[in-house]
Amino acid sequence: DAKTTQPPSMDCAEGRAANLPCNHSTISGNEYVYWYRQIHSQGPQYIIHGLKNNETNEMASLIITEDRKSSTLILPHATLRDTAVYYCIVSLTSGTYKYIFGTGTRLKVLA
Amino acid sequence: EPEVTQTPSHQVTQMGQEVILRCVPISNHLYFYWYRQILGQKVEFLVSFYNNEISEKSEIFDDQFSVERPDGSNFTLKIRSTKLEDSAMYFCASSEVDIILAYEKLFFGSGTQLSVL
């Protein structure tokens, strides 16, 4: 089973920030938090990852709480093309690296 | 940007037939994966492959499934005798592993939709 909990769906107005929460209360010290998204039935697409510190790249920002039990993915200016299912995944930093996908959050960006 | 390529995009087969799904991972990647997604369900891990052998497989990956890297570029998934319940989108992925920081990013292909009739 996935080690993360996400709301099943969210709406966001175009141009506004989309904040997608994820609960991973059983995360261990050697596990990273990864975010991927899946647009329609395409292959999942990597967005961002983090271990302890907040991270930002050209796609998004990732805020991880100090106790690491939850995180938030922020899309700063959502566009219609950001409509997708967003998956939060925790995975070991060493070993098989297999991902266990949950059901994710279906984000709908509204015009 | 380099990408993982999968062929064919759609495959229709009769129950009991063998199918081979093909993937060309990103050229400098060393870790390869197959996942599948039944319509409306989660993305499920099937198998991981490194250094010409399976490193991990799920319960789904039974004796009917096999993987191969026949040459330096292709990575294939074979289903020996397809069942109706094998109908799904199959995704190949390859990864770029940062050995020092020990994280990896998976790059997924666009998938092969397998329909078993």
Side-chain angles (χ1 to χ4, degrees), chain A residues 33-93:
Chain A
V33 179
Y34 294 88
W35 283 83
Y36 283 74
R37 71 181 182 184
Q38 188 176 26
I39 297 172
H40 297 300
S41 295
Q42 296 175 23
Q45 176 192 22
Y46 167 85
I47 301 172
I48 200 167
H49 74 278
L51 186 62
K52 286 189 265 196
N53 301 320
N54 298 338
E55 303 287 345
T56 295
N57 63 19
E58 65 280 0
M59 288 182 74
S61 294
L62 174 59
I63 308 296
I64 302 175
T65 57
E66 198 168 330
D67 63 8
R68 302 185 71 238
K69 292 186 177 181
S70 66
S71 61
T72 301
L73 178 76
I74 301 171
L75 308 177
H77 306 287
T79 71
L80 298 177
R81 283 192 299 252
D82 292 321
T83 293
V85 179
Y86 286 78
Y87 299 101
C88 167
I89 300 166
V90 297
S91 183
L92 290 171
T93 56

Side-chain angles (χ1 to χ4, degrees), chain A residues 34 36 38 93 96-98, chain B residues 35 37 56 101-102 104 106:
Chain A
Y34 294 88
Y36 283 74
Q38 188 176 26
T93 56
T96 61
Y97 297 97
K98 74 176 186 191
Chain B
Y35 286 77
Q37 187 173 33
E56 186 166 356
L101 296 176
E104 69 161 359
L106 254 59

Side-chain angles (χ1 to χ4, degrees), chain B residues 4-108:
Chain B
V4 175
T5 306
Q6 289 187 243
T7 55
S9 56
H10 291 85
Q11 174 90 49
V12 180
T13 190
Q14 296 290 325
M15 191 169 58
Q17 295 295 303
E18 174 184 287
V19 293
I20 297 176
L21 309 183
R22 301 180 193 279
C23 169
V24 179
I26 294 173
S27 62
N28 62 338
H29 286 186
L30 299 176
Y31 296 81
F32 313 111
Y33 306 83
W34 285 99
Y35 286 77
R36 78 170 188 191
Q37 187 173 33
I38 295 169
L39 186 64
Q41 297 187 24
K42 299 178 194 179
V43 177
E44 300 174 289
F45 169 78
L46 292 179
V47 66
S48 57
F49 191 86
Y50 169 71
N51 201 24
N52 280 321
E53 59 183 32
I54 290 173
S55 36
E56 186 166 356
K57 58 185 180 179
S58 71
E59 288 177 359
I60 302 167
F61 194 89
D62 62 22
D63 292 344
Q64 294 300 311
F65 291 86
S66 62
V67 289
E68 199 177 36
R69 189 155 159 81
D71 53 42
S73 58
N74 291 287
F75 180 51
T76 62
L77 174 70
K78 184 195 288 188
I79 309 175
R80 239 176 295 280
S81 176
T82 50
K83 308 186 198 77
L84 295 176
E85 55 265 36
D86 293 327
S87 294
M89 180 74 90
Y90 287 80
F91 295 111
C92 173
S94 66
S95 74
E96 173 183 85
V97 179
D98 185 308
I99 300 296
I100 296 170
L101 296 176
Y103 73 84
E104 69 161 359
K105 288 182 348 182
L106 254 59
F107 292 79
F108 287 81

